[in-house]
Amino acid sequence: MAFVSSGYNPDKPMEDRITDIGPRKYDEFYPPVIKKNKGKWLYHEILEPGVLVHVSETGDEVYTVRAGGCRLMSVEHIREICEIADKHCDGHVRFTTRNNIEFMVDSKDKVEPLKQDLLSRKQEGGCYKFPIGGTGAGVTNIVHTQGWIHCHTPATDASGPVKATMDVLFDDFTDMRLPAQLRVSLACCLNMCGAVHCSDIAILGYHRKVPMLDHEYLDKMCEIPLAIAACPTAAIKPAKVELEDGTKVKSVALNVPRCMFCGNCYTMCPAMPIVDDVGDCIVIMAGGKVSNRISAPKFSKVVVAYFPNEVPRWDQTTACVKKMVDVYAKEARKYERLGEWAERIGWERFFEKCELEFTHHLIDDFRDPAYFTWRQTTQFKF
Amino acid sequence: MAKHKTPLLDQLETGPWPSFVSDIKRQAEFRKANQDKIDYQIPVDVCEDLLGVLELSFVHRRTHWKHGGIVGVFGYGGGVIGRYCDQPEMFPGVAHFHTLRVNQPGGKFYTTEYLRQLCDLWDFRGSGITNMHGSTGDIIFLGTQTDQLEEIFYELTHTLNQDLGGSGSNLRTPSDCIGQARCEWSCYDTQALCYDLTQEYQDELHRPAFPYKFKFKFDGCPNCCVASIARADISFVGTWKDDIRIDQEAVAAYVGGEFPPNGGAHAGRDWGPFDIRKEVIDLCPTECMRYEDGKLEINTPECTRCMHCINVMPRALRVGDDRGCSLLVGAKAPILDGAQMSTLLVPFIKVEEPYDEIKEVIENIWDWWMEEGKNRERLGELMKRQGMQKLLEVTGIKADARHVQEPRTNPYIFWKEEEVEGGFDRDINEFRKYHQR
């Protein structure tokens, strides 16, 4: 392995430097049928799960085949996507916000060969490389974060539980039997890179043990005032600590009952590690949405405070998600999102129907808005 | 023979959904075989060590990545996330494993020619593992070493005409929905606006000068497919002011069962024949619709454009002609002070080049937030701390009943001196002439 220069000269970093050019312009990459019909689309229809047609006022049609993808993707896999797009789609392809891959063709007769090609490709263990689905009143791909593959603060993995959950929900990815679309999201800690807090079902990693204090190194590795300022509940204060050898060092002290386990201190100060094999867990949230359709966008609510990180397949987590989806499918009215259904029947009924235990952890006690979530009426169900 | 045994990860190689484990193994094999005799610039076994460290995390149920150090490219303060493994002796291939955020094209459309160029670069100078795409929207190059960062940036800018995205306390890479490119509901050209603002604010995107992150997201209609209302500091949500366009013949075709409701989205179950009264009229949140004698009527002034009727009958109903967007501001995930949804600031604004009106709102907000925002305080938190009134004041926008869900229930109005006749300066002695102590 010999170092190969790109042409960059480290002695003169500003020589020929190009900066602030931004992304490539979107219309360079439009397929011809998109370029021609942009802004002229009349309507669309989902012909079968994963296959859409959009019809333009020019009479043109574009057929889209949507395939699920892991957002964690190798370049060899991307090259395979390119091979398919070259073969069927004249070298064009796009990705969706929810990590799906969309192959577009300009006539109906090109759909079937494309579908056959996609479904024929499998990985060595038998997994589909390009499962078709993710449209309409079904489950689409899970948006998620990095987890143990790349992040320094996760309370769970991301790609692992996503794979396990999508295996369990696979039939609803390839079908459209639900009352409305159902969006599942995963964030591996409450920083929530991504909008899991407004998902029909959210899987969230959460820490349950207070950070450890690496007193000997704390002042050397961190700016103590930043660590203190990082705490949203003011649970961290400066402290002088005597080490075992008698040395006195500057460090911090923790007001333990105040800790909400957000891990924000660790983000600012690496000498306060918070991750723990037993402490870290999964929280399940439900009933959120981002669309303004019928009812306003909603936050997801915590419905399970704790499932352990059960590697490699997060069995209790996936079983709970599957149960909620199945009960929702059976009970909700057409067009009703999971959260709208839960509000209509009442959350007490939701817990009963989904066979979830309601514990004190699920009652909000975080700051003023908590009060407004307690029941202040005699209207409730037995 | 794999470098590390991965019995736990191997259990994620079965089942129908694509396996990321199989995919990384494939890349590991590809690098090892190296049929094209590529002079890999980071260790050949990087993917094997990545699987190794991930397996160790599955065993320990804890991450093995350390904090990012300060790494980046010269002159930028974002776009690169430093990452180091906490077991570098066991997994030297991923000892340094930095990420680059590459600013994605609008609508995430690609040509295979361009995707292959990205792949070749990342194979040669990185791990060959990506995210397509990261949560913010960027193309993520996952894992390379420090000495490759400038080289990759040089090749991106010189050969691929491509820049990095944002990270840290700056404008994060803006992202958009598919918009008018392939959606009949989009009320403005999301890709054009996203691109224009991205180019306009390159400095804010690359050089952190903000209190914390700042996100723009562009949704073409109130269906909000990129979740702008839940996660953007400024959510640009397409809307319209005039009548929903109605094709009565197509309405009849839905009623007669010729067209599947909701674009065929419910085809997986027998929901019985389409009932326009039950499925559309009765579900309209404002009760502004009527269907009588085979004619659909919408009382436009009462409509709140929730999209339900349009979603159900896309061939019969279309968004109006007087289109633009609503600006909502201040959404964020729970860290630190709880999750916040975006709040309506500008009910309607035209989306027309050069977008000066929109830029004025953005820059007024930034001036305020950069002056008053605390370290790591998102716009939504500043709004909570200083109040909606302050936001209206700094943006020069007049208060409107549309700004609230409901008026306040407490009368604790913070009257300003200039709002009260005669001001606050009073003479106590004059007062005492009439009111004994």
Side-chain angles (χ1 to χ4, degrees):
Chain A
M1 176 171 98
F3 184 83
V4 179
S5 169
S6 60
Y8 170 72
N9 179 357
D11 297 327
K12 295 179 180 167
M14 290 313 290
E15 196 175 75
D16 298 331
R17 195 167 188 85
I18 298 174
T19 66
D20 301 286
I21 56 174
R24 292 282 285 264
K25 194 160 179 232
Y26 51 91
D27 56 5
E28 281 182 60
F29 300 136
Y30 284 158
V33 64
I34 295 292
K35 195 169 271 184
K36 184 177 161 202
N37 294 287
K38 183 174 177 179
K40 298 177 186 162
W41 299 105
L42 279 179
Y43 67 90
H44 76 279
E45 194 176 320
I46 305 166
L47 300 174
E48 57 182 285
V51 181
L52 303 112
V53 60
H54 287 78
V55 180
S56 163
E57 62 191 35
T58 65
D60 285 353
E61 294 174 333
V62 61
Y63 292 83
T64 302
V65 178
R66 183 177 292 169
C70 301
R71 85 163 206 175
L72 186 65
M73 195 176 274
S74 73
V75 296
E76 272 298 277
H77 190 74
I78 299 172
R79 287 175 178 137
E80 191 167 345
I81 292 170
C82 291
E83 178 204 321
I84 297 165
D86 281 346
K87 197 164 139 196
H88 299 273
C89 317
D90 300 319
H92 291 87
V93 66
R94 78 172 286 264
F95 295 80
T96 73
T97 306
R98 301 190 75 89
N99 313 317
N100 294 308
I101 308 145
E102 289 190 339
F103 297 95
M104 284 164 282
V105 292
D106 54 15
S107 72
K108 196 170 187 177
D109 56 308
K110 295 177 182 170
V111 171
E112 208 46 42
L114 170 59
K115 275 178 55 193
Q116 294 310 322
D117 190 353
L118 290 170
L119 293 177
S120 71
R121 295 169 189 257
K122 290 194 170 181
Q123 293 171 318
E124 270 184 31
C127 311
Y128 286 103
K129 284 181 177 171
F130 304 104
I132 296 171
T135 51
V139 170
T140 186
N141 205 345
I142 296 179
V143 291
H144 64 91
T145 54
Q146 299 287 18
W148 293 335
I149 200 86
H150 200 251
C151 183
H152 66 292
T153 64
T156 187
D157 187 33
S159 300
V162 164
K163 160 70 175 154
T165 305
M166 283 310 289
D167 277 344
V168 167
L169 296 180
F170 190 75
D171 290 347
D172 281 315
F173 178 81
T174 58
D175 196 2
M176 304 190 292
R177 64 154 184 153
L178 301 181
Q181 69 264 49
L182 189 133
R183 302 282 180 256
V184 185
S185 309
L186 180 143
C188 51
C189 82
L190 87 178
N191 273 312
M192 290 195 192
C193 316
V196 314
H197 57 297
C198 295
S199 306
D200 295 279
I201 296 178
I203 303 166
L204 173 68
Y206 204 77
H207 305 292
R208 293 184 308 150
K209 291 196 182 187
V210 298
M212 293 178 278
L213 305 175
D214 200 349
H215 290 303
E216 191 182 342
Y217 291 91
L218 204 136
D219 191 33
K220 296 173 197 156
M221 292 170 78
C222 320
E223 297 279 351
I224 287 178
L226 286 183
I228 292 167
C231 181
T233 63
I236 303 170
K237 62 178 184 186
K240 282 245 189 322
V241 175
E242 191 173 323
L243 301 177
E244 272 177 31
D245 66 2
T247 336
K248 287 209 169 103
V249 291
K250 277 198 234 167
S251 185
V252 298
L254 206 60
N255 184 342
V256 169
R258 276 201 183 175
C259 178
M260 61 183 272
F261 314 99
C262 72
N264 211 36
C265 52
Y266 176 67
T267 295
M268 299 310 288
C269 175
M272 300 178 71
I274 191 166
V275 295
D276 189 83
D277 52 346
V278 177
D280 295 353
C281 72
I282 296 275
V283 166
I284 306 279
M285 303 175 76
K289 70 186 193 89
V290 294
S291 150
N292 291 274
R293 183 176 184 171
I294 304 179
S295 64
K298 300 176 201 301
F299 291 125
S300 312
K301 284 86 184 169
V302 179
V303 296
V304 177
Y306 165 79
F307 282 136
N309 270 323
E310 298 167 296
V311 295
R313 280 195 168 266
W314 282 265
D315 308 275
Q316 288 185 70
T317 296
T318 59
C320 172
V321 170
K322 174 79 175 142
K323 174 86 185 173
M324 284 196 287
V325 172
D326 286 343
V327 177
Y328 161 71
K330 187 165 155 273
E331 300 275 339
R333 294 175 183 162
K334 193 178 179 185
Y335 305 114
E336 207 168 41
R337 293 287 291 261
L338 190 139
E340 293 167 331
W341 163 64
E343 285 173 12
R344 175 171 60 81
I345 63 171
W347 284 98
E348 64 269 50
R349 193 65 83 232
F350 172 88
F351 278 87
E352 183 188 302
K353 292 211 181 257
C354 294
E355 294 170 29
L356 295 169
E357 188 193 356
F358 190 89
T359 68
H360 73 87
H361 307 103
L362 307 181
I363 299 173
D364 196 353
D365 56 359
F366 186 72
R367 302 195 174 163
D368 287 355
Y371 173 83
F372 300 100
T373 66
W374 305 340
R375 190 170 314 250
Q376 283 132 11
T377 167
T378 57
Q379 296 183 14
F380 58 86
K381 293 182 181 176
F382 287 110
Chain B
M1 198 42 208
K3 185 175 170 188
H4 306 283
K5 282 203 163 45
T6 54
L8 289 168
L9 293 179
D10 295 349
Q11 294 177 57
L12 291 169
E13 290 195 277
T14 54
W17 191 253
S19 168
F20 68 99
V21 177
S22 301
D23 191 29
I24 300 174
K25 284 186 179 175
R26 173 190 188 176
Q27 193 67 28
E29 288 298 318
F30 174 80
R31 283 180 83 91
K32 199 149 110 187
N34 196 9
Q35 287 182 342
D36 299 333
K37 304 271 180 289
I38 298 166
D39 194 0
Y40 289 120
Q41 295 294 291
I42 72 165
V44 174
D45 55 1
V46 55
C47 293
E48 295 195 82
D49 278 353
L50 182 62
L51 286 167
V53 71
L54 185 61
E55 176 76 14
L56 189 64
S57 279
F58 270 59
V59 172
H60 287 161
R61 289 179 289 159
R62 293 188 300 265
T63 189
H64 281 286
W65 300 104
K66 293 201 282 188
H67 270 69
I70 306 292
V71 292
V73 298
F74 191 78
Y76 280 10
V80 181
I81 320 294
R83 191 65 75 222
Y84 300 92
C85 181
D86 72 4
Q87 293 295 339
E89 293 83 11
M90 285 168 80
F91 309 106
V94 294
H96 318 198
F97 200 66
H98 310 318
T99 289
L100 289 111
R101 294 188 179 166
V102 178
N103 195 333
Q104 83 288 356
K108 300 190 176 79
F109 284 94
Y110 293 93
T111 57
T112 54
E113 183 197 0
Y114 180 64
L115 273 180
R116 285 202 177 90
Q117 288 178 328
L118 287 173
C119 289
D120 292 348
L121 171 62
W122 189 234
D123 223 2
F124 179 47
R125 296 197 178 274
S127 69
I129 302 297
T130 75
N131 289 155
M132 295 298 283
H133 297 74
S135 300
T136 301
D138 297 278
I139 303 157
I140 305 289
F141 282 174
L142 206 63
T144 192
Q145 300 190 339
T146 309
D147 62 0
Q148 290 302 314
L149 296 171
E150 287 289 356
E151 308 297 327
I152 292 166
F153 182 67
Y154 191 94
E155 291 202 21
L156 278 175
T157 50
H158 286 75
T159 314
L160 274 71
N161 189 25
Q162 169 69 55
D163 209 334
L164 296 179
S167 65
S169 292
N170 60 13
L171 176 64
R172 296 299 181 85
T173 310
S175 70
D176 50 18
C177 72
I178 191 165
Q180 293 176 346
R182 203 200 56 201
C183 182
E184 65 271 25
W185 295 328
S186 190
C187 298
Y188 68 96
D189 188 343
T190 52
Q191 274 134 49
L193 181 60
C194 181
Y195 184 77
D196 186 280
L197 296 182
T198 305
Q199 298 302 104
E200 174 88 20
Y201 299 120
Q202 281 290 297
D203 192 31
E204 286 78 1
L205 198 153
H206 295 303
R207 295 169 195 87
F210 286 158
Y212 201 14
K213 64 181 91 167
F214 199 94
K215 298 184 178 185
F216 290 158
K217 302 219 179 279
F218 305 88
D219 273 311
C221 83
N223 281 328
C224 282
C225 290
V226 293
S228 66
I229 203 165
R231 58 192 184 133
D233 296 272
I234 303 186
S235 321
F236 300 79
V237 185
T239 196
W240 68 96
K241 285 172 101 167
D242 55 344
D243 295 341
I244 290 175
R245 290 172 285 171
I246 306 177
D247 176 346
Q248 298 288 355
E249 275 176 37
V251 173
Y254 279 104
V255 174
E258 281 170 59
F259 298 154
N262 218 90
H266 292 80
R269 199 201 296 192
D270 182 9
W271 290 93
F274 176 65
D275 181 340
I276 192 170
R277 217 165 293 279
K278 200 170 129 205
E279 299 186 32
V280 180
I281 311 295
D282 292 351
L283 289 180
C284 171
T286 62
E287 300 174 20
C288 71
M289 306 182 80
R290 240 160 54 121
Y291 183 72
E292 260 160 52
D293 306 324
K295 194 161 178 272
L296 183 73
E297 282 173 43
I298 302 175
N299 183 9
T300 297
E302 298 311 306
C303 170
T304 51
R305 303 165 311 287
C306 85
M307 295 296 292
H308 175 66
C309 58
I310 298 177
N311 288 338
V312 175
M313 303 192 291
R315 295 179 76 157
L317 302 179
R318 301 176 69 194
V319 299
D321 286 317
D322 188 6
R323 297 186 284 262
C325 77
S326 302
L327 300 186
L328 295 92
V329 302
K332 56 181 278 293
I335 269 284
L336 297 170
D337 203 21
Q340 287 177 238
M341 210 73 82
S342 270
T343 299
L344 182 67
L345 177 64
V346 181
F348 186 83
I349 195 164
K350 277 283 186 192
V351 184
E352 284 162 358
E353 286 180 272
Y355 315 112
D356 285 341
E357 259 192 293
I358 289 174
K359 287 172 190 170
E360 192 187 329
V361 177
I362 294 170
E363 288 165 23
N364 282 335
I365 288 174
W366 281 351
D367 285 347
W368 173 51
W369 181 55
M370 288 174 75
E371 183 71 28
E372 298 284 334
K374 295 184 198 168
N375 185 31
R376 285 169 69 82
E377 185 175 52
R378 289 286 287 272
L379 175 64
E381 290 161 325
L382 176 63
M383 285 163 55
K384 262 166 75 173
R385 186 160 62 82
Q386 295 203 344
M388 179 81 185
Q389 281 88 343
K390 187 74 188 172
L391 174 70
L392 294 174
E393 188 185 310
V394 300
T395 49
I397 293 169
K398 195 171 172 299
D400 183 312
R402 282 169 269 266
H403 283 133
V404 295
Q405 198 88 279
E406 57 187 28
R408 66 196 308 159
T409 53
N410 64 70
Y412 308 141
I413 300 165
F414 291 94
W415 288 102
K416 286 185 185 145
E417 185 166 12
E418 62 271 22
E419 289 181 317
V420 183
E421 204 183 320
F424 291 166
D425 208 9
R426 288 183 286 163
D427 184 347
I428 184 70
N429 295 324
E430 183 62 23
F431 181 80
R432 286 296 171 217
K433 283 183 193 165
Y434 307 98
H435 304 274
Q436 295 176 18
R437 278 190 186 87

